[in-house]
Amino acid sequence: MNSKIIFKQFLLAVLWGISISVVSAVHASNMLEDISFASIPGDKVQIVLQFSETAPEPGTFTIDTPARIALDFPDTGVALENKRQSIGIGLARSITAVAAGGRTRVVLNMVALTKYSTEIVGNKVVIILDEANVSRSTASLGRNVIRDIDFRLGDEGEGNIIISFTEQPKNVNLKQEFEKLIVEIENVSLPSDLERRLDVNDFNTPVSFIDTFASGRNIKMLVDTKGEFEHLGYQAGKTFTIEVKGLTKAQKEAREKAKFGYSGERLSLNFQDIEVRAVLQLIADFTGKNMVTSDTVSGSITLRLKNVPWDQALAIILKTKGLGMREEGNVMRVAPAEELAAIEKQELEAKKQIADLLPLVTETIQLQYVPASAVVDLLNEMGDKEASKNQVSDTAAGEGNDEEGASYISSRATIVGDDRTNKLIVRDTARNIAQLRKLIEQIDTPTRQVLIDARVVSATDKFEKDMGLNWNFGSTNNSGEVKNRGDLAPGTTNTTQTTNGIVDLGLRQKNLLGVTFALLNSSYLVDLEVSASQTEGTSELISSPRVVTTNGNPAIIKAGREVPYQTVDLGGAPSVEFKDAVLSLEVTPLIIPGNKVHMELKINKDEVDAIVPTGVGSAPSIATKSIETSVLVDNGDTVVLGGIFEHNRTQTTDSVPILGEIPVIGAAFRVNSDSNDKTELIIFITPKIMDETLSVR
């Protein structure tokens, strides 16, 4: 009876396997059968993907961190013995092929992104990596255009964001930052009607809003989400799809376990004064793992643990007794922490000795943004500090080992910088050179530039008013001539008694009205001058210094003149010296995350004011206005640094004593002057981070 049941189960299993094979064959008739690679002339790497039928057109995209190139093949399966293969040629590390959902994704793991091309030849897809032109992206010089942005609800409640292009996009980068998904598409145009916000809350998916906008020559999309989710991005031809799916209850629990840090099966332990070795044996029996306990582990422990993960219970026991644990596969090794540290130290020294015996190879590393000599100096400085730390007299970059015992540069390494081609010529072990490439990848980045636009506005408002009366009396002789008063004293000049009613409208421009009165049948004259003058004027002076500098480097711009003045040296000989009277801007910008700019600023505005007497002649005085501060400003925003406001008001009265003080009548015997001057200086600063994609045409 049992044999019949076993036979039936075996038959069902065989039929199930056959059905799965048939279904897979129906859904994926074309299979990826072989992957080969080789180095070709011109610092290029050739990778060939061979299919069972005509090769399909792949959809490609790249990821900057970590550096990867992905190719999606629709309606394709995988028939490889090893789905992951190591390459180890140039910047190519390894290649992986995975089949899921009726398509195959081939991922190239790179040391750094480089320009590449794909070509279909029959049933083969040929990928060429051009390592001579390493770049941060693979965007072509052509201009692709986004045709449509759509949102659709999936069969399982997921949200699908579908981006359609007029051509196959070359580089679409998708990353997650907190609760946002950020999509960056390089060298693509966006029609104005698609630069908008999509509100998709009504679909009841993890996606709330989709904001799409242009950023220079690139396109940026921000996807606002809610709740916990997982996402997937894939490309098929001219369409890039982002799938956002909410987590199930089981997935949320698994994620919470990962945050908690302990995911083992729960157990309860309640012992009084039990040997530590016995407790470790119980945990090993419970987990089914192999455990090796050092002979130096001894002592007893009392514990009461109820419904806790076994890995947490083990961590508590080890910490209480000063023990350590190292896990290799399904074998756990338990020993005192000092003993494990000594063993690891011996293993590390052995790895170093092996590294010193590895053969040396010579490779070149192309630099793009940093001079080769600067990188060599930096590596030598690192080597000097590490050598001083380890009391070693060489100039190597120390023993900064990774888990495999490889350092950036060994003591046998030789590094030469070629400034003509901007390349590093490195002779060292292959593992060290790989580590050095990682370091240089972080160093060899373009330095961003900042445009500092300053505006110094000086505004002046002047107002003057004079009002009053001048009286003169005189007499005439029979011929009508004005009589003189006579000599006031011997040797003095005779003076007239009146101005004859003459009004001067020339330089003075204060006496704007004059009237002369004469009494009929009398020789007496009365001369009345009305003084009434008002002057108004405004002026505005705008100085706009502008300077471009790289991130973190100071920049100075000056405009003005040098004013000469005479001095006398110790010997009494005259000499001429110069004093600057300039408008200057000194700034040191620092770009910080969030597209903000921190600036250390110093602005001077000097002008020649007046000539003042000195012991050896005269010299000009310099009116100085300056400000020195540090500010934090968003990119493109304008900040008012400060201002100087001066208000000078003067009122004077010129009157005849006693008569000028008489009410009402006294107005005829005095002149009033009123002046009101206002001067204001305001400084505006606008920093602008320059787009790296812009170039001089």
Side-chain angles (χ1 to χ4, degrees):
M1 186 67 179
N2 293 334
S3 61
K4 290 182 179 180
I5 295 175
I6 295 173
F7 177 75
K8 288 181 179 180
Q9 292 177 348
F10 175 74
L11 183 60
L12 289 173
V14 172
L15 292 176
W16 176 260
I18 294 174
S19 63
I20 291 297
S21 301
V22 171
V23 171
S24 300
V26 170
H27 287 286
S29 59
N30 198 0
M31 306 295 290
L32 176 60
E33 296 182 336
D34 185 43
I35 298 176
S36 59
F37 41 82
S39 178
I40 60 178
D43 290 337
K44 297 180 180 179
V45 178
Q46 177 180 278
I47 301 171
V48 180
L49 309 178
Q50 184 173 344
F51 296 84
S52 59
E53 299 179 3
T54 302
E57 180 73 26
T60 63
F61 65 94
T62 62
I63 301 176
D64 288 336
T65 306
R68 290 176 181 173
I69 300 175
L71 298 91
D72 285 341
F73 298 93
D75 300 326
T76 305
V78 178
L80 298 172
E81 294 183 2
N82 298 322
K83 295 183 179 180
R84 177 182 174 86
Q85 300 182 31
S86 297
I87 299 178
I89 302 177
L91 297 180
R93 289 180 175 174
S94 61
I95 187 169
T96 304
V98 179
R103 68 178 186 275
T104 294
R105 173 169 292 182
V106 178
V107 179
L108 275 167
N109 297 309
M110 309 286 293
V111 175
L113 285 183
T114 182
K115 292 186 178 180
Y116 70 95
S117 62
T118 59
E119 181 182 2
I120 299 177
V121 182
N123 64 337
K124 297 180 180 180
V125 175
V126 181
I127 307 170
I128 303 295
L129 304 179
D130 187 2
E131 299 188 4
N133 296 292
V134 179
S135 63
R136 296 179 63 247
S137 65
T138 56
S140 63
L141 296 177
R143 294 290 284 169
N144 198 355
V145 179
I146 293 182
R147 186 173 56 191
D148 189 24
I149 299 174
D150 194 11
F151 183 84
R152 298 178 186 175
L153 183 63
D155 297 335
E156 300 180 2
E158 71 274 12
N160 294 318
I161 304 170
I162 302 172
I163 309 173
S164 302
F165 300 84
T166 56
E167 301 176 5
Q168 181 173 303
K170 299 298 182 182
N171 192 11
V172 181
N173 297 325
L174 172 63
K175 59 183 178 181
Q176 179 180 351
E177 291 186 0
F178 303 104
E179 296 182 354
K180 283 184 180 290
L181 292 177
I182 301 177
V183 185
E184 295 179 346
I185 312 171
E186 298 189 6
N187 202 26
V188 174
S189 299
L190 179 68
S192 58
D193 59 330
L194 295 180
E195 191 167 357
R196 60 189 179 184
R197 161 172 279 202
L198 295 179
D199 185 350
V200 294
N201 282 288
D202 295 339
F203 288 92
N204 196 23
T205 67
V207 181
S208 301
F209 300 98
I210 304 171
D211 295 303
T212 310
F213 53 91
S215 178
R217 294 176 60 87
N218 305 328
I219 302 301
K220 199 168 186 178
M221 176 183 289
L222 302 179
V223 181
D224 290 336
T225 61
K226 53 188 176 183
E228 297 183 81
F229 65 93
E230 59 183 5
H231 68 279
L232 173 67
Y234 58 89
Q235 180 178 333
K238 300 178 182 179
T239 302
F240 186 84
T241 303
I242 305 170
E243 181 181 296
V244 185
K245 187 177 182 180
L247 297 180
T248 62
K249 184 177 180 180
Q251 290 173 330
K252 291 181 180 179
E253 291 178 354
R255 180 169 290 188
E256 289 297 327
K257 286 183 178 180
K259 292 181 180 179
F260 178 59
Y262 300 104
S263 58
E265 188 177 351
R266 295 179 179 271
L267 53 74
S268 297
L269 298 173
N270 189 356
F271 295 103
Q272 182 75 24
D273 197 22
I274 187 174
E275 290 187 1
V276 175
R277 301 176 67 88
V279 178
L280 295 176
Q281 184 62 41
L282 286 174
I283 294 177
D285 294 339
F286 181 80
T287 60
K289 290 193 174 185
N290 301 317
M291 180 178 292
V292 178
T293 305
S294 174
D295 295 337
T296 55
V297 176
S298 61
S300 301
I301 188 172
T302 298
L303 51 86
R304 184 181 184 276
L305 301 175
K306 186 177 180 180
N307 196 26
V308 298
W310 69 264
D311 48 353
Q312 185 182 12
L314 178 60
I316 293 173
I317 294 170
L318 296 178
K319 186 176 182 181
T320 303
K321 303 302 292 184
L323 303 176
M325 187 268 291
R326 299 295 182 268
E327 189 172 4
E328 299 176 1
N330 64 340
V331 178
M332 294 186 295
R333 183 172 58 182
V334 179
E338 297 81 359
E339 183 178 331
L340 290 176
I343 294 174
E344 291 177 350
K345 183 178 180 181
Q346 292 177 359
E347 293 176 352
L348 184 60
E349 291 177 353
K351 288 181 180 180
K352 291 179 181 179
Q353 292 176 0
I354 294 174
D356 291 339
L357 298 177
L358 291 176
L360 300 179
V361 296
T362 303
E363 292 188 17
T364 60
I365 301 177
Q366 178 68 56
L367 302 175
Q368 296 235 337
Y369 306 104
V370 182
S373 57
V375 176
V376 172
D377 294 341
L378 179 62
L379 294 175
N380 287 335
E381 184 178 353
M382 290 175 57
D384 292 340
K385 291 183 178 180
E386 191 67 26
S388 175
K389 179 179 178 181
N390 296 330
Q391 295 183 353
V392 179
S393 59
D394 59 5
T395 57
E399 300 295 339
N401 296 334
D402 61 2
E403 66 272 6
E404 298 181 355
S407 61
Y408 291 124
I409 305 173
S410 68
S411 57
R412 300 183 295 160
T414 303
I415 299 181
V416 178
D418 183 9
D419 290 333
R420 184 180 63 85
T421 59
N422 203 30
K423 286 185 177 182
L424 290 180
I425 304 173
V426 184
R427 180 169 177 79
D428 203 349
T429 63
R431 289 192 301 179
N432 287 348
I433 293 177
Q435 293 296 317
L436 182 61
R437 286 186 183 275
K438 292 180 182 179
L439 176 63
I440 292 179
E441 179 183 356
Q442 302 297 323
I443 297 174
D444 188 25
T445 56
T447 303
R448 305 181 73 180
Q449 299 185 97
V450 182
L451 169 65
I452 308 298
D453 190 357
R455 293 188 179 181
V456 182
V457 180
S458 179
T460 303
D461 186 3
K462 291 186 176 182
F463 175 82
E464 292 183 3
K465 181 172 70 174
D466 295 326
M467 293 193 68
L469 297 174
N470 289 329
W471 296 89
N472 291 302
F473 301 93
S475 61
T476 59
N477 54 21
N478 294 332
S479 61
E481 295 179 355
V482 179
K483 295 181 178 180
N484 295 333
R485 291 184 178 182
D487 295 337
L488 298 178
T492 60
T493 304
N494 293 332
T495 60
T496 59
Q497 295 173 300
T498 180
T499 57
N500 295 325
I502 299 174
V503 178
D504 185 3
L505 297 179
L507 295 177
R508 291 168 60 188
Q509 291 195 10
K510 287 186 178 181
N511 303 326
L512 301 182
L513 180 62
V515 180
T516 300
F517 299 93
L519 298 177
L520 296 177
N521 299 322
S522 175
S523 60
Y524 293 98
L525 299 176
V526 179
D527 189 1
L528 172 65
E529 293 181 356
V530 180
S531 176
S533 173
Q534 181 172 310
T535 304
E536 296 183 35
T538 59
S539 65
E540 184 176 351
L541 176 63
I542 300 178
S543 304
S544 182
R546 182 179 299 178
V547 64
V548 177
T549 182
T550 55
N551 183 30
N553 291 325
I556 301 175
I557 184 171
K558 293 182 179 181
R561 57 176 176 166
E562 291 185 341
V563 181
Y565 62 94
Q566 188 175 6
T567 61
V568 178
D569 57 17
L570 295 177
S575 62
V576 177
E577 296 185 3
F578 293 88
K579 174 69 175 179
D580 288 340
V582 299
L583 170 66
S584 66
L585 168 65
E586 182 176 352
V587 58
T588 303
L590 181 63
I591 301 174
I592 63 176
N595 259 4
K596 297 180 181 291
V597 182
H598 178 270
M599 294 178 292
E600 297 287 343
L601 288 159
K602 185 177 181 181
I603 301 175
N604 281 3
K605 190 176 188 301
D606 301 338
E607 296 177 341
V608 178
D609 188 16
I611 305 298
V612 297
T614 63
V616 293
S618 60
S621 62
I622 305 297
T624 300
K625 297 182 179 68
S626 66
I627 185 171
E628 186 172 353
T629 184
S630 60
V631 293
L632 180 63
V633 190
D634 287 332
N635 177 34
D637 287 356
T638 301
V639 61
V640 181
L641 293 184
I644 300 174
F645 180 76
E646 296 179 357
H647 187 187
N648 185 13
R649 183 170 184 177
T650 305
Q651 291 180 329
T652 59
T653 301
D654 185 7
S655 64
V656 177
I658 301 175
L659 296 180
E661 298 175 0
I662 300 174
V664 181
I665 301 176
F669 299 95
R670 62 175 178 261
V671 176
N672 297 322
S673 298
D674 189 2
S675 65
N676 192 358
D677 298 341
K678 299 178 182 179
T679 303
E680 189 172 10
L681 177 68
I682 306 176
I683 301 174
F684 302 88
I685 294 291
T686 305
K688 298 177 183 178
I689 301 175
M690 301 184 67
D691 192 347
E692 297 175 8
T693 61
L694 297 179
S695 59
V696 179
R697 297 181 181 270

